[in-house]
Amino acid sequence: MNFEVKSPWQFGRVLVSWAVLMRPMRPLTRMALFLALALAAACQAQSPPFEVHGLGDQSQFESRGSTNVFTHAVMVSNATTVVTTDDKATADDLTGEVVAEGDVTILDHGHVWRGTNFIYNFKTGDVRSGSFKTVQTPFSVSGQTLNGNSNQVFVATNATLTTDDYQRPAHRIRARRITIMPGNYFEAWQATYYIGNVPVFYWPYYKRNLGQHPDNWEFAPGYRSMYGPFLLTTYNWYGTGLLDGSVHFDERERRGLAGGPDLLFHGGDWGEAVFRYYFARDQDPGADGIAAPHLKEDRQRISFYYQDPLGSNTVAKVAANYQSDPLVIRDFYWNEYQANVEPASFAEVTQLKPNWVLDGMAQPQLVNFFETVERLPDVKLTGLRQEVGATPVYYESETSAGYFKRAFSDTNSPSPFTNSLQAPNGLAYFFNTGSTTNPASYSASRLDTFHQFTLPQTFFGWLDVTPRVGGRATYYSDVDGPQVHTNQQVRAVFDTGVDMSFKASQVFSGAESPLLDVHELRHIIEPDIDYAYVPAPTRSPSQLPQFDTQLPALRQLPLEFPGYNSIDSIDRQNVVRLMLRNKLQTHRQDGIEDLVNWAVYTDWNLAPGVNHHFTDLYSDLDLRPRSWLTFSSSTRYDLPDSRWREAIERIFIQPTTAWSLSLGYYYLMNNDPEFQSYPGENVPGHNLFNFSLYYRMNENWGARITEQFEGQSGTMQQQIYSVYRDLRSWTSALMVRMTQGPGQPDDLTVAITFSLKARPRFPLNSDSSQPNLQMSTEAPWDLRSQF
């Protein structure tokens, strides 16, 4: 028999086991038991509860029995605690106690303490020190002495607490004694609140929860052309841990009073929810001259978001959005409007298993001025790609069933439509976008099932080849609508194809360039050829009700199923997608970085009778010549007509944290056929330039300039100028925004914001990506980001 003994303790246990088995040999049993206990005691004596490392060439070590003395920069650590000092540490192997002198830092269970003359026991977790300092967000805490135990309860004497973390804080609490439980609360006895050196208030006993925010007010006064002078007021309150919230009280001289609550529910195992309500008695709802339906004086929006992890693999989500008119969010929640013009409402439950995903969704139309595909309900079972027994074949599937209604907006404007009579029974008139009258809603049930087999193979040790074959069948019930009725029908689709790719690389160890910060180069090339063949389905898209239909897109859509999920728009195709990716990687200070990452791809249409076999050529390029300099480019070139359809270019420069520069360019051709509802429709393009510069003058002052210029119309669409001031415990910003554009009046906004530094309203640097955020009534927290 073979034994692998990894420690003296394990060896002792082995001997005890042998002793039990060898009962007739009682003397040997006693000897084995004695030897096991002796080895265990020796193991405990020889294995100190910490490790010691010198932090410099001058570190020295001296052993005095079980006591070891280390000098000149030492680190003592175990799995949960790290003690460092720049002077001297004395460690006792038996007791586990470490005495550290000089400038000492302790990282204990993720919490940092700093001070002089710490005594820490690595066995019990007890700590004692002289003067110390630590941070318990949002407080900075310092004191004369500190005592703590393994329960993470710390007691300090002659302590000072402040949110103004400066050498001479503007305000502070001075207490004879405090008890701290990190992350939970602190208690203070004989506490006095000082402003400067003047005592203002005295508490015999004071307790503060560290896990919650302090209730506070926020004020944003300013002026906007659409509003006149305004004052946006928000009171943020934090309750018992179950319910937090904000209440808005807003006054706009030209528009009137508005307000409402934002409530955040913390249900623990029952999930989290956000409820938001905003009501405005708008005295001038058409202030910007833009006409919109349903525009009245009483304007409101209601939103509700809920998310509940029902189990380790199951999540439930609910989103409900109601608004009285199409522009209420644009007028009062501009950033939210920019992110999503038509917020959806739905309820969804998703369950994830190793081999399948089950998803159920219900999506109603809550407002009739937004087009919606109602799903009442839509249930989908996805079989993830998995091996078929012991064979090399893989199988995947997707099956869905639901009742759908294409609910058009009641404000759709008429547009010419030239293809309404080409399909049998004229269904294209109702099923495609655009008609000579406002389209009528229609509904139907649909059952769709898709199944596919793949056979991944590797040839010659480097060529990956994955052929696939699959098929789908889709059943549609009778289509019901006020202007159309059809009988049930079934569509069948067959698909096949093959994907071939490989990756090759070469290292150039001698490549060096101080200018480009290149230290060795690795070139990676990845060609990919993906062929897809779908013969004509038994029903063309023009014969089917369009619920999940293909929408205009700037980039290529997926070629394969089930990645391509516009079920009702599936048509014949015979296409080869060609892609070539090149990477250049190099060693830099932060590790391996991509110097160049460039992908070029296009589709080769093999279908007979097409005028142009090659479609648009796409290019995605990321270039990083230095760690602080990034260039990115995405372009789309029309090969048949030799013209650029789209270009997105961006340069970002940030050599230091004191300043950064961003330059951007966006081009979209005029009358792009991708976005034309009918031939000849005028769809204006873009020739847009963006510029943003941030500069921090010193620790107290900073400024940002953001410009957006539309070259096609010669219009400076947006200008934002911001000045920031650090007010010790507060930060403030003065922001000026000017906007103009075709079809809308010029708009000027001036706003001043204040935010408590310990509890900032907006995340750090959030105005670089959302420069209008600080002029809105939007809440600083939002569960919507998880939807």
Short mmCIF file of all heavy atoms in Angstrom, two decimals, residues 385 455-457 463-468 497-502 527-532 559-560 577 579:
data_model
loop_
_atom_site.label_atom_id
_atom_site.label_comp_id
_atom_site.label_asym_id
_atom_site.label_seq_id
_atom_site.Cartn_x
_atom_site.Cartn_y
_atom_site.Cartn_z
N ARG A 385 -26.26 24.09 -26.99
CA ARG A 385 -25.46 23.15 -27.79
C ARG A 385 -24.84 22.10 -26.87
O ARG A 385 -24.15 22.44 -25.90
CB ARG A 385 -24.40 23.89 -28.57
CG ARG A 385 -23.58 23.00 -29.49
CD ARG A 385 -22.68 23.79 -30.40
NE ARG A 385 -23.45 24.56 -31.38
CZ ARG A 385 -22.89 25.22 -32.40
NH1 ARG A 385 -21.58 25.18 -32.58
NH2 ARG A 385 -23.64 25.89 -33.24
N LEU A 455 -21.20 19.32 -36.39
CA LEU A 455 -20.15 18.31 -36.26
C LEU A 455 -18.79 19.02 -36.26
O LEU A 455 -18.14 19.13 -37.30
CB LEU A 455 -20.23 17.30 -37.40
CG LEU A 455 -19.21 16.17 -37.40
CD1 LEU A 455 -19.36 15.30 -36.16
CD2 LEU A 455 -19.35 15.31 -38.67
N PRO A 456 -18.35 19.54 -35.11
CA PRO A 456 -17.06 20.24 -35.04
C PRO A 456 -15.90 19.26 -35.29
O PRO A 456 -15.83 18.20 -34.66
CB PRO A 456 -17.02 20.82 -33.63
CG PRO A 456 -18.42 20.70 -33.10
CD PRO A 456 -19.03 19.53 -33.81
N GLN A 457 -15.02 19.62 -36.19
CA GLN A 457 -13.87 18.79 -36.51
C GLN A 457 -12.63 19.68 -36.63
O GLN A 457 -12.73 20.87 -36.99
CB GLN A 457 -14.08 18.04 -37.83
CG GLN A 457 -15.24 17.07 -37.82
CD GLN A 457 -14.94 15.84 -36.98
OE1 GLN A 457 -13.87 15.22 -37.12
NE2 GLN A 457 -15.86 15.48 -36.09
N LEU A 463 -6.96 23.45 -38.46
CA LEU A 463 -8.12 23.94 -39.21
C LEU A 463 -9.40 23.44 -38.55
O LEU A 463 -9.65 22.23 -38.49
CB LEU A 463 -8.05 23.45 -40.66
CG LEU A 463 -9.22 23.87 -41.56
CD1 LEU A 463 -9.31 25.39 -41.67
CD2 LEU A 463 -9.09 23.22 -42.94
N ASP A 464 -10.21 24.38 -38.07
CA ASP A 464 -11.49 24.04 -37.43
C ASP A 464 -12.60 24.12 -38.49
O ASP A 464 -12.80 25.17 -39.10
CB ASP A 464 -11.80 25.00 -36.28
CG ASP A 464 -10.80 24.89 -35.14
OD1 ASP A 464 -10.32 23.77 -34.89
OD2 ASP A 464 -10.50 25.92 -34.51
N VAL A 465 -13.30 23.03 -38.65
CA VAL A 465 -14.39 22.95 -39.61
C VAL A 465 -15.64 22.47 -38.88
O VAL A 465 -15.61 21.42 -38.22
CB VAL A 465 -14.05 22.00 -40.78
CG1 VAL A 465 -15.22 21.92 -41.76
CG2 VAL A 465 -12.78 22.45 -41.48
N THR A 466 -16.73 23.24 -39.00
CA THR A 466 -17.97 22.89 -38.31
C THR A 466 -19.13 22.93 -39.29
O THR A 466 -19.72 23.99 -39.52
CB THR A 466 -18.25 23.85 -37.13
OG1 THR A 466 -17.12 23.89 -36.27
CG2 THR A 466 -19.48 23.43 -36.35
N PRO A 467 -19.47 21.78 -39.90
CA PRO A 467 -20.67 21.75 -40.75
C PRO A 467 -21.93 21.71 -39.88
O PRO A 467 -21.90 21.25 -38.73
CB PRO A 467 -20.50 20.46 -41.55
CG PRO A 467 -19.63 19.60 -40.70
CD PRO A 467 -18.72 20.52 -39.92
N ARG A 468 -23.03 22.19 -40.42
CA ARG A 468 -24.30 22.21 -39.68
C ARG A 468 -25.44 21.95 -40.64
O ARG A 468 -25.37 22.26 -41.83
CB ARG A 468 -24.49 23.55 -38.97
CG ARG A 468 -24.58 24.73 -39.92
CD ARG A 468 -24.66 26.06 -39.19
NE ARG A 468 -24.76 27.19 -40.13
CZ ARG A 468 -23.74 27.79 -40.69
NH1 ARG A 468 -22.50 27.39 -40.41
NH2 ARG A 468 -23.94 28.80 -41.53
N GLY A 497 -25.00 24.66 -43.76
CA GLY A 497 -23.84 25.52 -43.92
C GLY A 497 -22.62 24.92 -43.26
O GLY A 497 -22.67 23.81 -42.70
N VAL A 498 -21.54 25.64 -43.34
CA VAL A 498 -20.30 25.18 -42.73
C VAL A 498 -19.46 26.41 -42.36
O VAL A 498 -19.46 27.43 -43.07
CB VAL A 498 -19.51 24.26 -43.70
CG1 VAL A 498 -19.16 25.00 -44.98
CG2 VAL A 498 -18.26 23.70 -43.03
N ASP A 499 -18.80 26.31 -41.23
CA ASP A 499 -17.91 27.38 -40.76
C ASP A 499 -16.50 26.83 -40.68
O ASP A 499 -16.27 25.77 -40.08
CB ASP A 499 -18.36 27.89 -39.38
CG ASP A 499 -17.49 29.03 -38.89
OD1 ASP A 499 -17.64 30.15 -39.39
OD2 ASP A 499 -16.63 28.79 -38.00
N MET A 500 -15.56 27.55 -41.30
CA MET A 500 -14.16 27.13 -41.31
C MET A 500 -13.29 28.28 -40.81
O MET A 500 -13.44 29.42 -41.26
CB MET A 500 -13.73 26.72 -42.72
CG MET A 500 -14.46 25.52 -43.27
SD MET A 500 -13.91 25.07 -44.94
CE MET A 500 -14.53 26.45 -45.87
N SER A 501 -12.39 27.97 -39.89
CA SER A 501 -11.52 29.01 -39.33
C SER A 501 -10.26 28.38 -38.78
O SER A 501 -10.20 27.17 -38.52
CB SER A 501 -12.25 29.77 -38.21
OG SER A 501 -12.52 28.90 -37.12
N PHE A 502 -9.25 29.21 -38.62
CA PHE A 502 -8.03 28.77 -37.93
C PHE A 502 -7.34 30.00 -37.35
O PHE A 502 -7.68 31.15 -37.68
CB PHE A 502 -7.08 28.02 -38.88
CG PHE A 502 -6.45 28.86 -39.95
CD1 PHE A 502 -5.24 29.52 -39.72
CD2 PHE A 502 -7.04 28.97 -41.19
CE1 PHE A 502 -4.66 30.29 -40.71
CE2 PHE A 502 -6.46 29.74 -42.19
CZ PHE A 502 -5.26 30.41 -41.94
N PRO A 527 -8.41 33.96 -39.94
CA PRO A 527 -9.38 33.96 -41.04
C PRO A 527 -10.61 33.13 -40.66
O PRO A 527 -10.51 32.15 -39.91
CB PRO A 527 -8.61 33.30 -42.20
CG PRO A 527 -7.19 33.18 -41.72
CD PRO A 527 -7.23 33.15 -40.25
N ASP A 528 -11.76 33.52 -41.19
CA ASP A 528 -12.99 32.79 -40.91
C ASP A 528 -13.87 32.84 -42.16
O ASP A 528 -14.10 33.92 -42.73
CB ASP A 528 -13.73 33.40 -39.71
CG ASP A 528 -14.94 32.58 -39.31
OD1 ASP A 528 -15.99 32.71 -39.98
OD2 ASP A 528 -14.85 31.81 -38.34
N ILE A 529 -14.36 31.70 -42.60
CA ILE A 529 -15.27 31.58 -43.73
C ILE A 529 -16.52 30.86 -43.25
O ILE A 529 -16.45 29.72 -42.78
CB ILE A 529 -14.63 30.81 -44.90
CG1 ILE A 529 -13.36 31.52 -45.38
CG2 ILE A 529 -15.62 30.65 -46.05
CD1 ILE A 529 -12.61 30.75 -46.47
N ASP A 530 -17.66 31.53 -43.35
CA ASP A 530 -18.93 30.96 -42.88
C ASP A 530 -19.91 30.94 -44.05
O ASP A 530 -20.28 31.99 -44.58
CB ASP A 530 -19.48 31.80 -41.72
CG ASP A 530 -20.64 31.11 -41.02
OD1 ASP A 530 -20.99 29.99 -41.42
OD2 ASP A 530 -21.20 31.71 -40.08
N TYR A 531 -20.32 29.72 -44.44
CA TYR A 531 -21.24 29.57 -45.57
C TYR A 531 -22.62 29.19 -45.03
O TYR A 531 -22.74 28.31 -44.17
CB TYR A 531 -20.75 28.49 -46.53
CG TYR A 531 -21.75 28.16 -47.61
CD1 TYR A 531 -22.11 29.10 -48.57
CD2 TYR A 531 -22.34 26.89 -47.66
CE1 TYR A 531 -23.03 28.79 -49.57
CE2 TYR A 531 -23.25 26.57 -48.66
CZ TYR A 531 -23.60 27.53 -49.60
OH TYR A 531 -24.51 27.23 -50.58
N ALA A 532 -23.65 29.88 -45.54
CA ALA A 532 -25.03 29.60 -45.13
C ALA A 532 -25.90 29.46 -46.36
O ALA A 532 -25.88 30.31 -47.25
CB ALA A 532 -25.56 30.73 -44.24
N LEU A 559 -25.58 35.53 -39.31
CA LEU A 559 -25.84 34.77 -40.54
C LEU A 559 -26.52 33.43 -40.22
O LEU A 559 -27.34 32.94 -40.98
CB LEU A 559 -24.52 34.53 -41.28
CG LEU A 559 -24.59 34.02 -42.71
CD1 LEU A 559 -25.26 35.04 -43.60
CD2 LEU A 559 -23.17 33.72 -43.22
N GLU A 560 -26.17 32.85 -39.07
CA GLU A 560 -26.64 31.52 -38.72
C GLU A 560 -27.87 31.60 -37.81
O GLU A 560 -28.10 32.59 -37.13
CB GLU A 560 -25.53 30.73 -38.00
CG GLU A 560 -24.21 30.65 -38.75
CD GLU A 560 -23.15 29.96 -37.93
OE1 GLU A 560 -23.50 29.34 -36.90
OE2 GLU A 560 -21.97 30.05 -38.28
N ARG A 577 -19.88 34.42 -45.73
CA ARG A 577 -19.36 35.55 -44.95
C ARG A 577 -17.86 35.36 -44.79
O ARG A 577 -17.39 34.36 -44.22
CB ARG A 577 -20.04 35.66 -43.60
CG ARG A 577 -19.51 36.80 -42.74
CD ARG A 577 -20.49 37.19 -41.67
NE ARG A 577 -21.71 37.76 -42.26
CZ ARG A 577 -22.80 38.12 -41.55
NH1 ARG A 577 -22.80 37.94 -40.23
NH2 ARG A 577 -23.85 38.62 -42.15
N MET A 579 -14.32 36.81 -43.28
CA MET A 579 -13.79 37.70 -42.25
C MET A 579 -12.30 37.39 -42.02
O MET A 579 -11.89 36.22 -42.04
CB MET A 579 -14.53 37.55 -40.93
CG MET A 579 -14.08 38.57 -39.88
SD MET A 579 -14.97 38.46 -38.30
CE MET A 579 -14.18 37.03 -37.59
#
